[in-house]
Amino acid sequence: KVGADVKQVLGLDDTVFDIEITPNRGDWAGVIGVARELAAAFELELNIPEARVIEIDQPVQQYSSVVIEDSVSCPRYMGRVLLDVRIGQSDSFIQNRLRAVGQRPINNVVDITNYIMLETGQPLHAFDYDKLSENRIVVRRAKSGEALQTLDGVCRTLSDEMLVIADATKPVALAGIMGGGDSEVTESTKRVFLESAYFDPIVIRKTAKQLSLMTEAAQRFQRGADPEMTSYALNRAATMISSLAEGKSAKGVLDEYPSPLGRSSIRLRYTRANVLLGSEIPKEKQVKYLRSLGFTPHYS
């Protein structure tokens, strides 16, 4: 309509909160983490978007496999294969939200991985499945002097201290930092290998500093991502790719998790907590607050 507010017509009338995150709050590196805190503060229910993947009959093991050679640097690596993907522009609501946080839209699949990273705090990466040698993934240390041209167009010489995602013959990504140009998703991509993993924060921080390559993914992994978020983020992204890029998910998930990371257990003394806070919060309320933040208290 002539005379209408152009911001509303283009969907640019959203509110953007600029939140400065301290290094110890990796859980705030995604919208869900911030929403969890706000839901607890205002005593509201936390509503997380559904991740329901519709799969075809062919099992994912028919298409690919994952081998982790360094399980200390990469305790968990998950992957899905999506077929018959239609690469194109993202829907406007995704593009607007990415631009609102300073990111440049690229294509629907890449934009979805970035969108889910911002939503969950879990970085993802999409490979062109047909550009992977033998269509499989190997998580390993780089060989000294090995080279990789990253997505920014720079050819980087790697050391054996750096963790890479490789196919059967060569590195295709700097683990947890940036993908390689030879396996990126382009207009000609038809099949996608979708990665969701947990990487050791120290390994990512050292590599990012050595290469002066501090990406959105590196910032999240070096703070310490949630190894349990890998599954949800992967399925959420696969759900969106199916809906917005017509991708068909092979049945099942590749999930290499040789030594599961146990949940941390913390001893809380109610009296000591009140002394430190200068408060008088009964233990029942302390337990209530912990539950609202997603903790599982066992108390007496």
Side-chain angles (χ1 to χ4, degrees):
K1 182 179 178 180
V2 175
D5 188 336
V6 71
K7 295 194 297 297
Q8 294 179 355
V9 174
L10 298 179
L12 301 176
D13 55 341
D14 199 1
T15 299
V16 178
F17 292 93
D18 190 350
I19 302 173
E20 184 175 350
I21 304 170
T22 53
N24 64 319
R25 293 306 301 265
D27 58 312
W28 273 40
V31 173
I32 288 177
V34 177
R36 180 188 299 113
E37 196 88 8
L38 292 172
F42 291 104
E43 298 186 354
L44 300 171
E45 181 182 354
L46 176 63
N47 294 308
I48 297 177
E50 189 177 38
R52 182 181 296 177
V53 184
I54 299 175
E55 302 174 327
I56 60 174
D57 290 336
Q58 286 82 6
V60 67
Q61 291 80 6
Q62 177 180 318
Y63 293 96
S64 188
S65 64
V66 172
V67 173
I68 300 177
E69 293 185 359
D70 185 351
S71 60
V72 174
S73 301
C74 176
R76 188 177 199 182
Y77 191 99
M78 302 184 69
R80 275 189 176 274
V81 175
L82 293 105
L83 315 170
D84 301 328
V85 178
R86 177 191 56 79
I87 304 298
Q89 286 191 340
S90 298
D91 285 9
S92 59
F93 85 92
I94 290 182
Q95 293 195 37
N96 289 341
R97 287 193 167 188
L98 291 179
R99 289 193 182 100
V101 295
Q103 290 205 2
R104 177 175 60 90
I106 298 172
N107 61 52
N108 48 6
V109 169
V110 174
D111 291 353
I112 287 169
T113 63
N114 288 330
Y115 185 91
I116 297 303
M117 175 187 69
L118 294 165
E119 182 178 79
T120 65
Q122 170 65 42
L124 304 171
H125 188 68
F127 298 95
D128 186 318
Y129 170 86
D130 293 295
K131 294 177 182 176
L132 300 174
S133 178
E134 298 183 13
N135 307 124
R136 62 188 180 94
I137 292 292
V138 180
V139 186
R140 61 171 173 83
R141 293 278 180 160
K143 299 170 185 175
S144 184
E146 207 166 25
L148 171 67
Q149 181 173 313
T150 45
L151 285 170
D152 56 2
V154 178
C155 187
R156 303 180 186 276
T157 301
L158 311 179
S159 73
D160 56 10
E161 295 179 346
M162 299 175 181
L163 189 71
V164 297
I165 309 302
D167 57 19
T169 59
K170 64 188 182 305
V172 292
L174 273 172
I177 300 175
M178 184 178 284
D182 291 341
S183 59
E184 69 176 315
V185 172
T186 64
E187 292 179 358
S188 62
T189 299
K190 301 297 181 185
R191 298 189 286 186
V192 169
F193 183 96
L194 188 60
E195 165 196 287
S196 182
Y198 174 83
F199 300 111
D200 179 73
I202 296 175
V203 172
I204 301 304
R205 186 183 308 118
K206 285 183 176 179
T207 301
K209 283 190 174 182
Q210 287 175 8
L211 296 175
S212 299
L213 192 59
M214 190 54 66
T215 61
E216 293 275 357
Q219 289 180 23
R220 285 163 172 80
F221 280 125
Q222 72 175 11
R223 277 189 168 96
D226 179 1
E228 298 302 318
M229 184 61 82
T230 55
S231 177
Y232 170 78
L234 179 67
N235 291 330
R236 172 93 169 113
T239 301
M240 289 187 71
I241 292 174
S242 295
S243 173
L244 302 176
E246 301 177 10
K248 300 178 178 64
S249 293
K251 187 175 183 178
V253 180
L254 299 170
D255 186 5
E256 289 299 311
Y257 200 6
S259 301
L261 301 171
R263 291 177 178 268
S264 298
S265 179
I266 302 170
R267 182 170 177 261
L268 172 67
R269 291 172 290 169
Y270 306 109
T271 303
R272 179 63 176 163
N274 279 322
V275 169
L276 290 173
L277 293 172
S279 60
E280 295 182 5
I281 305 173
K283 70 176 185 179
E284 291 78 12
K285 278 197 172 182
Q286 291 190 34
V287 170
K288 175 187 174 183
Y289 296 150
L290 289 171
R291 288 192 194 281
S292 67
L293 289 167
F295 291 91
T296 307
H298 303 279
Y299 68 100
S300 59

